Structures are given as C-alpha cells and as structure tokens.
Amino acid sequence: MTDASPASGADAIRPVLRTFRGMPTSDGAGVRLSRVIGTPALPDLDPFLMLDEFRADDPKSYIAGFPDHPHRGFETVTYMLAGRMRHGDNQGNVGLLRPGSVQWMTAGRGIVHSEMPEQEDGLMWGFQLWVNLPARDKMTAPRYQDIPPEDVPEVTPPGGGKVRVVAGEVDGVAGAVSAIATDPVYLDVILPPGASFEHALPAGHNAFVYVYTGTAHVGPADGGQEVGERTLGALGAGARVRIAAGDAEARALLVAGRPLREPVARYGPFVMNTEAEIHQAIRDYQAGRF
C-alpha cells in the first residue's frame, strides 16, 4: 500500500480504507517489538517505510538494546512514552531520550549509531518511524533534531483532550520538528471519554492513525470505523481527519507525509533508489566511509 487515492472533496473527512495489526518481531540485540508498517501486509505507506512500537516491562525484552548499526538514505523518528534510551554515534553525538521526548534523525549519506536503554527495570515504551528521503537528499549530511519533552508544544482542542505537536501545525502552533523534506504531520492525540479531535491535512499527503491506547472512532461522525488498540488505520482521501474517543480514554498517533513516488531499493538499514546505490552503500560502510 504505497499511496492513497487523490483528494475527493474540499471538506471531506478521510475514511479508514483498511486496518492493520502489528506483527511480533525483534530487532537490534533481541529487543521485542510490534512492527506495524514494514510487514508483508503493509510493506510501506509512502513516504513511511516502517513503524515499530516497543512496549515491555520485562527487562529481558529490551535490555540488550540496539548496539552500533548503520543507516543511509532515510530518517528515523523515535518518540518515547516511558523509559530512557541513550543514543550515540560515530561522529561523537550523544543524547538521552526520556518520556515525552523526540529524536528526528536524518541519516543522509550515512551514520553508525546505537540506542541503548538507560534503565535496568520498569516500562520501556515508544515508537520508531522510518521516513524515506527523496533522491536529491539521500546523500545529505547527517542531522539530528533532539527535542526534550518540555519543548514539544501541546494544544488543547475545542473538543477537549490534548494534542502534542511533534511536526506540522495545530491551531497556529508549529511542531517541535522542522525542515523535513516530506512536510510531515506527527501528532500525539490524547482524548478523554467522549471527546473528539478534527484536523485538516494537506490533500496530497498519505496518512494513518495508530491507536495505542483504548479504541477510537476514525472518520465521519455519522459513519467512520472503530479502530482498536494497537491497530493502524490507513486513511483515504479527504481534507480532514476526525478522531473520537468512546466511553474510555483514547490515545493515537496521527501521522501524514507527502508521498515521494520514487523507486525504492532496500537492504536492511539502507534505503536508496537503485540496487547499484545499495551495493555502493554496503561498500562504503565496509570501507569505513560512514
């Protein structure tokens, strides 16, 4: 599923085209997680290449972390809900991800980094999203945007609740992350029972809602679809998104981005446009040129 259909109405509420559940897997040195985008059922949602939710209170499920590994050609977005993760790379950058913080890392031409838990017990919970880069930017210099929790703006919508604005804009409040090639929207929507949130999206953007707590009604008030906990709803065309909580609190990520519509060649942590570029990435990594 690489692209949504064209826009179909100036005021239309985007419908849920299809829902997807995550697939249990492990990554890094054995960290257990749920992969939602990047599975046989949902290989990608242009420009999004992968979405993982890591959620465990058993240290054996996360303590080994993600030791040194390379990336080239795309961006990784890590959003923490609970726990602490220390990152470092081969260029001397270090940082600490804690509850509510965001790291938007543009790997560009290449970087080798690690993400290791800075805790020995307790809940570790968060998300990692992979966002493709256009061909013109794949060999750009690596860049980090490390955002502490207090610098992520929060908006109270008219229907109640809270929206944390990682990227994009809500009610004139700009997100914490800026200057991203795919013009993304990344919102953490927290709704008390009975509350709803409606938001305009660029007509050409692909979009999804991932409900991570409770159940949400997504789509028109007189139609739409119930999206259950730990379920992704891929959205169709329209100008606006509507998310509503039922009898219990609902929490969801609303994510959208401009599709690139470019060829994608993938090999593990390398995402380029051609197989030849993948082979070059492997040679560059093996030669220590990252």
Side-chain angles (χ1 to χ4, degrees):
M1 184 172 187
T2 59
D3 201 359
S5 57
S8 61
D11 298 312
I13 299 292
R14 290 186 180 226
V16 175
L17 296 180
R18 189 176 169 191
T19 60
F20 300 87
R21 295 277 295 172
M23 182 179 75
T25 188
S26 65
D27 211 336
V31 177
R32 296 176 190 171
L33 47 84
S34 176
R35 181 152 295 161
V36 191
I37 301 176
T39 69
L42 184 59
D44 63 78
L45 184 59
D46 187 14
F48 307 113
L49 303 163
M50 191 183 81
L51 175 66
D52 287 344
E53 179 182 9
F54 48 94
R55 183 176 184 174
D57 54 13
D58 179 359
K60 294 191 295 292
S61 298
Y62 62 75
I63 198 67
F66 303 89
D68 283 349
H69 57 282
H71 289 300
R72 172 179 278 185
F74 63 101
E75 301 179 289
T76 62
V77 185
T78 306
Y79 179 47
M80 297 293 292
L81 297 179
R84 300 186 309 279
M85 192 88 74
R86 174 75 59 180
H87 77 86
D89 67 27
N90 61 340
Q91 301 185 24
N93 298 302
V94 294
L96 179 64
L97 289 163
R98 49 196 173 95
S101 62
V102 181
Q103 182 194 81
W104 200 296
M105 185 186 79
T106 304
R109 63 177 176 246
I111 200 164
V112 178
H113 79 145
S114 64
E115 300 153 297
M116 302 299 293
E118 198 173 78
Q119 63 186 70
E120 295 181 355
D121 55 30
L123 178 63
M124 179 74 73
W125 188 10
F127 307 93
Q128 186 165 99
L129 177 72
W130 287 16
V131 186
N132 203 3
L133 282 169
R136 67 175 185 272
D137 294 332
K138 284 190 176 294
M139 296 298 285
T140 192
R143 180 175 73 125
Y144 286 96
Q145 295 187 63
D146 280 311
I147 315 295
E150 60 270 18
D151 289 348
V152 178
E154 296 184 355
V155 175
T156 301
K162 178 174 69 176
V163 178
R164 305 192 78 230
V165 189
V166 175
E169 185 175 305
V170 177
D171 294 339
V173 177
V177 173
S178 61
I180 302 298
T182 51
D183 303 319
V185 174
Y186 191 124
L187 309 179
D188 182 9
V189 181
I190 303 167
L191 298 173
S196 64
F197 171 67
E198 194 169 315
H199 185 64
L201 291 178
H205 277 34
N206 284 338
F208 66 84
V209 172
Y210 181 71
V211 178
Y212 65 88
T213 298
T215 299
H217 181 277
V218 181
D222 57 354
Q225 183 169 336
E226 294 296 322
V227 180
E229 186 168 281
R230 306 191 81 175
T231 301
L232 181 146
L235 302 181
R240 306 183 68 79
V241 178
R242 182 180 181 275
I243 305 171
D247 296 333
E249 180 183 68
R251 299 185 176 196
L253 302 181
L254 170 57
V255 180
R258 178 175 54 82
L260 299 178
R261 301 188 179 93
E262 295 180 351
V264 175
R266 299 177 65 165
Y267 181 76
F270 308 133
V271 182
M272 304 301 291
N273 297 99
T274 67
E275 291 299 321
E277 291 171 334
I278 291 291
H279 295 319
Q280 186 62 54
I282 295 170
R283 289 194 294 270
D284 288 346
Y285 172 60
Q286 291 174 340
R289 290 193 286 265
F290 274 33

